[in-house]
Amino acid sequence: MSDQDHQVKLVPALARGVQILDVIGRHPSGMSAKDIADELGLAKSTIHGLCSTLVSLNLLVRRADQSYQMGPHVMRWANAFTARSDIASEFATIWDDGTDLPGATITLSVLENTDIIYIAARNSEATEGRFDFRSGMRLPASITATGKAMMSHMNEFDVRQLYANVADAESIDALIKQLQSDKACGYSFDNEDVSEGLVCYGAPVLDSKNKPIAGIAVSMLKEDATPEKGKQIVANLTDIAVKLSIRMGADV
């Protein structure tokens, strides 16, 4: 049997529906049918039909201005993933019970191409109003602590493949150098890249193949991030990341 015989034949309508969800996921403020059609190179009539179906399934919502946003049904899948891995609840429990900083702003995210998607988040009173993390939020991996933490466990070739369409070679070289440094340190740092006045410390959770399956992070106001507190957070975070990785079968 040839390799071609082994290839999965995609159902076009389903594949296009997923493409639509991916596109809208990158534009949380909403997109019109025309914008979606232009980005995917599909006919506007096709987009209208698919979006209407997705709205009926609660995968999308149609706003008053006829633009589309992610619907509530998507959260069921995110919650199902979180429940399956149970990393989020374990992270929160271990952090609150085993550190001197209970109730901190903590997040759990996964890597998808050059973005991360938050699948669980708990915001603290200290960071409330400065920046609120939420499940389903998508951000560029290169500016986030968890994104860099996960990519630091990828080899250089794979990182360059992720950013193959980026013309600025110097920025990719700088990113790879940063990732190598982060891996050596055991954690990554976001110094106000996501939001002004907010810093984040991130570490990867590894699976049985020692590959990153998630990133965990603790965030705090920069004004509160003294060197002593930063060291305390990093020590606790990396310890928890190792414990979770071991529970996921990693050899660390």
Side-chain angles (χ1 to χ4, degrees), residues 5 15 27 52 56-57 70-71 136 156 226:
D5 293 329
H27 299 81
S52 294
S56 298
L57 296 172
M70 298 298 284
E156 181 177 338
T226 63

Side-chain angles (χ1 to χ4, degrees), residues 152 156 159-160 170-184:
S152 72
E156 181 177 338
V159 174
R160 290 190 182 279
E170 289 187 4
S171 68
I172 303 306
D173 290 340
L175 173 62
I176 289 173
K177 186 176 181 180
Q178 179 64 60
L179 296 178
Q180 292 170 342
S181 175
D182 289 352
K183 185 175 183 180

Side-chain angles (χ1 to χ4, degrees), residues 2-248:
S2 67
D3 291 341
Q4 187 174 2
D5 293 329
H6 286 289
Q7 293 178 356
V8 176
K9 293 182 179 179
L10 301 180
V11 178
L14 181 58
R16 289 171 181 170
V18 172
Q19 287 179 319
I20 290 172
L21 292 173
D22 283 341
V23 167
I24 294 176
R26 293 194 294 270
H27 299 81
S29 60
M31 294 185 74
S32 68
K34 181 181 183 304
D35 291 338
I36 299 170
D38 290 343
E39 183 152 344
L40 295 179
L42 297 172
K44 189 176 177 181
S45 58
T46 299
I47 297 299
H48 271 302
L50 290 170
C51 284
S52 294
T53 299
L54 293 171
V55 168
S56 298
L57 296 172
N58 288 324
L59 292 169
L60 291 180
V61 293
R62 184 186 291 113
R63 303 194 306 176
D65 62 1
Q66 300 305 303
S67 64
Y68 296 95
Q69 287 183 313
M70 298 298 284
H73 194 93
V74 176
M75 285 307 304
R76 296 184 187 178
W77 295 338
N79 291 337
F81 177 87
T82 304
R84 183 196 69 180
S85 61
D86 208 29
I87 299 174
S89 60
E90 290 203 50
F91 177 31
T93 299
I94 295 173
W95 181 265
D96 288 345
D97 293 345
T99 74
D100 296 326
L101 297 167
T105 294
I106 57 177
T107 58
L108 172 70
S109 60
V110 293
L111 185 67
E112 184 178 279
N113 298 319
T114 57
D115 290 342
I116 64 162
I117 301 175
Y118 292 97
I119 61 174
R122 185 187 69 187
N123 296 287
S124 69
E125 293 181 0
T127 59
E128 187 177 1
R130 187 65 64 91
F131 188 86
D132 290 330
F133 295 96
R134 64 182 186 275
S135 297
M137 178 182 288
R138 181 188 292 260
L139 289 174
S142 60
I143 69 169
T144 63
T146 52
K148 289 183 287 188
M150 286 183 277
M151 289 193 295
S152 72
H153 280 258
M154 297 171 58
N155 62 51
E156 181 177 338
F157 176 80
D158 288 339
V159 174
R160 290 190 182 279
Q161 285 294 104
L162 276 180
Y163 291 93
N165 294 325
V166 176
D168 186 1
E170 289 187 4
S171 68
I172 303 306
D173 290 340
L175 173 62
I176 289 173
K177 186 176 181 180
Q178 179 64 60
L179 296 178
Q180 292 170 342
S181 175
D182 289 352
K183 185 175 183 180
C185 292
Y187 75 97
S188 295
F189 184 61
D190 156 26
N191 187 11
E192 299 186 277
D193 293 319
V194 168
S195 179
E196 184 177 356
L198 192 73
V199 299
C200 303
Y201 304 83
V205 176
L206 309 179
D207 63 12
S208 59
K209 297 180 180 179
N210 278 22
K211 299 292 185 181
I213 56 171
I216 56 176
V218 177
S219 303
M220 65 189 306
L221 297 181
K222 187 170 185 178
E223 61 202 55
D224 296 331
T226 63
E228 292 76 17
K229 188 167 285 187
K231 289 180 181 178
Q232 180 186 15
I233 289 175
V234 168
N236 287 317
L237 183 68
T238 52
D239 179 61
I240 292 172
V242 169
K243 289 179 179 177
L244 290 175
S245 296
I246 291 173
R247 294 184 189 187
M248 296 297 114

